[in-house]
Amino acid sequence: MTTRVLVADDQDLVRTGLSMILDAQPDIEVVGQAADGKAAVELAHRLRPDVCLVDIRMPGLDGIEVTELLAGRGVADPIAVVVITTFDLDEYVHGALRAGARGFLLKDAGPELLVQAVHAAAVGDALIAPNITRRLLATLAAGASSKRRTQPIEPLTQREEEVLKLVAVGRTNAEIAAELFISLTTAKTHVASLLAKIGARNRVEIAMWAYDTGRVGH
């Protein structure tokens, strides 16, 4: 099954380079390119790609605004967004993830991680560059007071607590299944249960909640 991707970046060379890397994959097709945020939103609504790869800094609408419009709360038919940036700044990552992004990568992350992030987003997983995951989420948790509930709607089971900690450090469903010696279907069921119990929209918010509640150390 081919994953259809839209690439949005205001730098021609970067946009072309990202597109070439993705198009070289047998199961990824770049279906559109945009040079600014407004064009990215318009193309995404028209083409309905599986994943939008969006630069954080673009003219018109920035990557956070694009993410809000495509994947934010209240969006009836959200599209998966992976945000990329040259700048390893907490406020950028924070904003993107709060807006609903399924992944966050630095542009120097390399082709392998880029492809992994697109594949993860396409199947509902989330991938944040490993070199910033723990620092970022710890910073988020230590920052402004969270609006998310600090206690789950129902108590988490021991297995759900284990899955929670793995999600918080960026593991995919397949990696969680392998590490806990459970099936992929069971891993997905646990993640779905976590989403419902803590009122999270996505795996990234599960990770933030784990830090907020002290379940994962800073």
Side-chain angles (χ1 to χ4, degrees):
M1 184 174 174
T2 300
T3 298
R4 301 169 68 252
V5 180
L6 170 67
V7 177
D9 194 298
D10 63 329
Q11 298 180 32
D12 292 344
L13 283 176
V14 173
R15 192 173 64 250
T16 301
L18 293 170
S19 297
M20 289 177 64
I21 290 169
L22 295 174
D23 263 335
Q25 307 304 311
D27 54 356
I28 295 177
E29 178 189 3
V30 175
V31 295
Q33 297 184 34
D36 62 67
K38 185 178 178 182
V41 173
E42 291 173 350
L43 270 177
H45 285 152
R46 179 157 57 87
L47 299 174
R48 300 299 305 178
D50 300 304
V51 179
C52 291
L53 190 64
V54 178
D55 183 22
I56 199 85
R57 296 181 70 176
M58 291 186 294
L61 299 171
D62 65 26
I64 293 173
E65 292 170 314
V66 170
T67 302
E68 283 275 11
L69 291 170
L70 298 180
R73 289 189 185 276
V75 175
D77 194 8
I79 298 173
V81 176
V82 174
V83 173
I84 55 173
T85 182
T86 305
F87 308 96
D88 184 10
L89 299 177
D90 286 342
E91 57 265 35
Y92 285 164
V93 194
H94 183 173
L97 300 184
R98 295 287 191 205
R102 281 197 192 160
F104 190 96
L105 293 176
L106 299 178
K107 289 183 181 177
D108 62 1
E112 184 178 354
L113 203 58
L114 173 65
V115 171
Q116 284 180 21
V118 167
H119 282 150
V123 298
D125 278 350
L127 189 150
I128 308 172
N131 56 321
I132 62 174
T133 301
R134 296 188 68 87
R135 175 184 58 77
L136 160 71
L137 292 173
T139 301
L140 282 181
S145 61
S146 172
K147 294 180 180 178
R148 292 182 302 284
R149 64 175 71 240
T150 55
Q151 295 300 322
I153 296 170
E154 297 177 36
L156 303 185
T157 65
Q158 182 177 346
R159 180 62 89 187
E160 286 168 350
E161 292 280 4
E162 293 171 345
V163 172
L164 176 75
K165 291 174 182 176
L166 293 176
V167 170
V169 295
R171 298 286 196 275
T172 65
N173 285 340
E175 290 169 338
I176 290 170
E179 195 156 333
L180 296 180
F181 302 102
I182 57 178
S183 71
L184 180 58
T185 300
T186 300
K188 290 180 178 179
T189 299
H190 286 314
V191 172
S193 179
L194 285 171
L195 289 168
K197 285 187 176 183
I198 68 178
R201 286 178 300 172
N202 52 46
R203 300 168 67 87
V204 174
E205 287 193 356
I206 292 177
M208 291 181 189
W209 187 85
Y211 276 83
D212 284 348
T213 57
R215 283 169 163 81
V216 178
H218 293 189

